[in-house]
Amino acid sequence: MLLCAILALPTLAQGRKNVRINEVMVQQDSTGGNGWIEFYNSSYSTNAVEKMFITTLRDKEVQDHIKKVTSTSKVKPNKVLIEWCKERPTEIYEIPRGDERNTKIAPRTHFVMEADGDPKAGTFHLPFTLKAGQDNYVALYDVNGDLVDSVMIPATLKPGETFAVDKEGRLPSVLGDDKTSWTVKDGKTINTAITKGNYNAREVNENIEKFREEDPHGYWIALLAMSVVFCALALLYICFKLFGKFASRNLNDESKEQAAAPAAQAAAVPATGGDLDGEKMAAICFALYQHLNAHDNESGVLTLSPRDGTAWSSKSGLMRELPVIKK
């Protein structure tokens, strides 16, 4: 059980880091309209995104501010960002706590944040807006202040267009692996359709395809599977062996204690030199005499003597006796 808990720690640590920025719209049309940011849970487990931070501040500015505050005090980075949300509420946003029903994102699904500048409208409304005609930077931070993902939306993005992850590209598992390719989508064709709230699902799984390229015949996966099975059996054998030795040692200790108990009791009795004193001898003899001579010698023959009558055969004895009234 301890081994399982240790192996599960990296999974817990990497959970929120699999939340990626997937598609961004700056302006819905030429007349205006608020933009939005679509995020994607690329992991195969449910992730709670509450208490994560979304900001338009550059990472260098955020990290410099965190270092400045933490160098003079023992405040944790997430506390620094929480305080900064109060000082600069239109530039950094903490996803509220308590809305667990909506902030728990299912595996391989998405959620959309509306960049309308009105956080009072609900959990998924950001306090800032994206500006058309200029570069827009968006970053996502973990609860501990680590950068999870970021994107720079180019100023050339026109109203009604989105800046999205190319469906032919690979979604990165670790920030900075340079495997994500971005494209502009105008919604005029099927390939460039804008799918707000509907992730552009790829027909293939990148991890499976990558594994197929590296192991086309399945030798490594077979070797890995057999290794896992044999390692598990070896671990079980070692556990049962150690348990058996521990149990047998306890049984041996108990048997030794039981064998030593009579000897200890005998040693506790005081030595009498081999002879009993006169009073003890007299008591033993008297007890034997009483036991052997408890009754007189009898013939063992029973003699029955008949009687004339008993209370059962006397009718007068069965009647209630009335009290005598004296006059």
Side-chain angles (χ1 to χ4, degrees), residues 43-322:
S43 69
Y44 290 90
S45 60
T46 301
N47 284 325
V49 296
E50 62 177 4
K51 298 184 289 186
M52 296 185 76
F53 300 92
I54 304 173
T55 181
T56 56
L57 299 172
R58 303 298 176 92
D59 182 55
K60 186 178 184 305
E61 183 179 359
V62 175
Q63 297 301 332
D64 290 345
H65 179 70
I66 292 175
K67 290 180 181 179
K68 179 180 178 181
V69 176
T70 55
S71 62
T72 57
S73 62
K74 296 182 179 180
V75 181
K76 295 182 179 180
N78 65 323
K79 298 295 183 182
V80 177
L81 294 180
I82 292 174
E83 291 297 325
W84 218 5
C85 290
K86 300 176 182 178
E87 298 174 5
R88 307 175 72 168
T90 60
E91 295 174 297
I92 183 169
Y93 175 71
E94 181 189 19
I95 300 177
R97 316 175 191 194
D99 191 9
E100 296 181 358
R101 184 174 62 88
N102 296 317
T103 55
K104 284 187 177 181
I105 310 303
R108 313 291 287 181
T109 56
H110 61 273
F111 65 100
V112 176
M113 303 293 293
E114 299 286 346
D116 54 6
D118 186 15
K120 294 182 293 184
T123 300
F124 297 98
H125 291 262
L126 298 170
F128 53 80
T129 59
L130 302 177
K131 299 176 176 59
Q134 66 182 52
D135 293 338
N136 289 273
Y137 177 83
V138 178
L140 177 68
Y141 286 85
D142 200 357
V143 293
N144 58 1
D146 293 338
L147 179 64
V148 176
D149 197 9
S150 63
V151 63
M152 176 67 74
I153 302 96
T156 57
L157 192 68
K158 299 177 182 179
E161 295 180 342
T162 63
F163 194 59
V165 173
D166 188 357
K167 69 176 183 178
E168 300 298 334
R170 288 185 175 179
L171 206 61
S173 58
V174 180
L175 184 66
D177 61 1
D178 298 327
K179 292 182 180 179
T180 301
S181 60
W182 293 81
T183 185
V184 176
K185 303 175 69 173
D186 56 11
K188 296 180 180 179
T189 64
I190 295 177
N191 294 330
T192 61
I194 297 174
T195 55
K196 176 186 178 182
N198 182 18
Y199 176 67
N200 303 319
R202 294 180 294 276
E203 296 180 356
V204 296
N205 189 305
E206 304 86 4
N207 295 328
I208 295 177
E209 292 299 319
K210 183 178 179 181
F211 200 89
R212 182 180 297 174
E213 294 175 2
E214 297 179 355
D215 185 23
H217 300 290
Y219 296 143
W220 286 109
I221 189 65
L223 180 62
L224 179 62
M226 289 188 292
S227 300
V228 171
V229 172
F230 283 113
C231 289
L233 292 175
L235 184 61
L236 287 174
Y237 171 78
I238 294 173
C239 292
F240 283 123
K241 198 73 174 178
L242 294 176
F243 179 77
K245 289 185 178 180
F246 179 76
S248 61
R249 187 176 65 178
N250 288 342
L251 291 175
N252 292 334
D253 293 342
E254 291 179 0
S255 60
K256 289 180 180 178
E257 291 178 358
Q258 293 176 358
Q265 293 177 358
V269 177
T272 58
D275 296 328
L276 296 175
D277 54 6
E279 293 181 355
K280 293 180 180 179
M281 291 290 291
I284 293 172
C285 292
F286 183 71
L288 290 173
Y289 176 80
Q290 284 188 330
H291 176 71
L292 297 175
N293 299 280
H295 301 281
D296 298 333
N297 292 329
E298 297 181 357
S299 62
V301 177
L302 297 178
T303 303
L304 300 178
S305 300
R307 296 183 179 178
D308 296 336
T310 63
W312 290 103
S313 61
S314 176
K315 299 299 182 182
S316 60
L318 298 176
M319 303 300 290
R320 184 177 64 176
E321 183 178 356
L322 296 175

